[in-house]
Amino acid sequence: MKTITLSNSIPIPPIGYGTYKLPDSSQGAIAVAEAISLGYRLIDGAAAYGNEKAVGEGIKKSETDRSQIFVTSKLPNTERSFDAALRAFDRSLRDLNLDYLDLYLIHWPFDRACYPDWEKQNIDTWHALERIYSERRVRAIGVSNFFPEHLDVLLREAETLPMVNQIEFNPGMQQRECVDLCNRNNIRIEAWSPLARGRIFDNPLLLEIADRHQRSIAQICLRWEIQRGAIPIPKSANPYRMKENLDIFSFTLSDEEMAAIDSLPQFGNSGLNPANIDHHFSPTR
């Protein structure tokens, strides 16, 4: 797998291992270590998942050189302010038992639907990430679940632009306007729910393409996302599925197949968005 280069010249693996719903226990640590042994080098986590100690233990258990693993965490919804964000970052480092992170994201933005001062709140929180980045305690910074209106604030006010926006992205949830804005500003898209939690596995077009390539529908979805320039973050604790999700670099979707998937209507999305998330609520993703 060739790495992708972020806007600040930091290399990032083209696919990650998602740790959402992994237990904060030896079982979770074993899953992370297994993922690394299979070849995953991007480990995507978040404080809100409540399992960072297990993730850190899994990284240690893998006995893989730290410099070879790209570790991501996210700022929890309850800590979105300048000072709170700095404390939350320190707490994640302690729980992960790491000296630095490779990527730190704001998990969810403040939105106008919940907060009249949402723009100020978002930029104040972003300034905390800029501080951490300037201190070289994290190699790259970014956001998650930011729609164009949230990104526009950072594009106007930020000293350092986000390197990543992690959004819900799959063939049934393409977020074209957001992706286009990110592409124009050299912000790399990461895809959470890249398999739509299986909600799109009975789609006739995807079934046809999967049969043509003798691949699973999951592999077709992940390959489409790779060819669209996104970094998918699939999650599974099943070693067979973990390995299958990595095996997407030995085939290519044709231009016609890509265009056909591009034309799919929106379906199978989670329904989560910044307008129905406030800082007191811990969302399911």
Side-chain angles (χ1 to χ4, degrees):
M1 294 183 291
K2 295 182 179 179
T3 57
I4 294 166
T5 303
L6 297 178
S7 60
N8 64 343
S9 301
I10 295 296
I12 182 173
I15 186 171
Y17 179 69
T19 62
Y20 171 60
K21 283 195 172 180
L22 284 184
D24 195 30
S25 65
S26 59
Q27 183 182 354
I30 290 169
V32 171
E34 177 75 12
I36 294 171
S37 74
L38 289 171
Y40 289 92
R41 289 297 179 266
L42 193 171
I43 305 299
D44 181 79
Y49 301 164
N51 58 12
E52 290 196 307
K53 290 181 180 178
V55 171
E57 182 59 30
I59 292 169
K60 180 180 178 181
K61 187 184 292 288
S62 76
E63 298 184 347
T64 302
D65 191 283
R66 168 69 182 92
S67 66
Q68 300 303 306
I69 303 175
F70 193 100
V71 184
T72 300
S73 185
K74 305 180 190 76
L75 176 69
N77 300 335
T78 54
E79 309 292 341
R80 291 179 298 185
S81 70
F82 185 87
D83 291 334
L86 297 179
R87 291 192 297 268
F89 178 83
D90 288 339
R91 188 162 53 250
S92 284
L93 278 186
R94 288 196 301 270
D95 287 347
L96 289 161
N97 194 23
L98 298 176
D99 296 325
Y100 69 94
L101 288 179
D102 296 280
L103 179 63
Y104 196 54
L105 308 176
I106 299 175
H107 205 152
W108 287 88
F110 283 93
D111 187 78
R112 69 174 76 242
C114 303
Y115 303 96
D117 61 344
W118 64 279
E119 292 178 300
K120 181 180 185 302
Q121 295 274 19
N122 283 335
I123 195 62
D124 285 350
T125 304
W126 181 250
H127 285 328
L129 270 65
E130 289 179 322
R131 165 77 67 84
I132 296 163
Y133 179 65
S134 70
E135 294 172 345
R136 299 187 177 183
R137 304 176 67 206
V138 63
R139 299 174 71 215
I141 52 177
V143 295
S144 180
N145 301 301
F146 272 52
F147 286 180
E149 59 264 34
H150 310 114
L151 286 171
D152 284 340
V153 177
L154 300 190
L155 294 175
R156 291 195 313 267
E157 305 289 342
E159 295 180 11
T160 302
L161 294 185
M163 292 107 194
V164 167
N165 186 15
Q166 187 178 124
I167 60 173
E168 184 176 9
F169 183 70
N170 57 64
M173 181 63 171
Q174 298 190 24
Q175 298 212 54
R176 294 177 179 88
E177 182 184 359
C178 186
V179 170
D180 287 346
L181 178 61
C182 288
N183 287 342
R184 291 197 304 272
N185 289 278
N186 205 13
I187 300 170
R188 179 65 63 171
I189 291 293
E190 286 186 331
W192 69 260
S193 195
L195 306 178
R197 301 179 187 174
R199 289 184 295 262
I200 59 177
F201 282 6
D202 59 353
N203 178 266
L205 173 65
L206 297 177
L207 285 166
E208 177 189 340
I209 295 173
D211 183 64
R212 187 182 304 142
H213 286 273
Q214 291 298 290
R215 297 281 179 161
S216 70
I217 290 184
Q219 289 173 311
I220 297 303
C221 292
L222 295 171
R223 184 65 208 182
W224 174 82
E225 288 146 13
I226 291 285
Q227 289 183 223
R228 277 287 159 259
I231 299 169
I233 311 289
K235 59 180 179 63
S236 175
N238 181 310
Y240 176 82
R241 296 298 180 196
M242 292 158 66
K243 185 175 181 180
E244 180 185 77
N245 290 342
L246 274 183
D247 185 19
I248 55 172
F249 298 96
S250 58
F251 75 100
T252 303
L253 299 177
S254 69
D255 291 344
E256 292 76 15
E257 290 168 333
M258 290 294 293
I261 297 173
D262 290 348
S263 69
L264 288 172
Q266 181 169 306
F267 66 104
N269 58 300
S270 70
L272 291 173
N273 69 75
N276 59 37
I277 301 293
D278 71 32
H279 79 286
H280 298 293
F281 174 56
S282 182
T284 56
R285 181 59 178 84

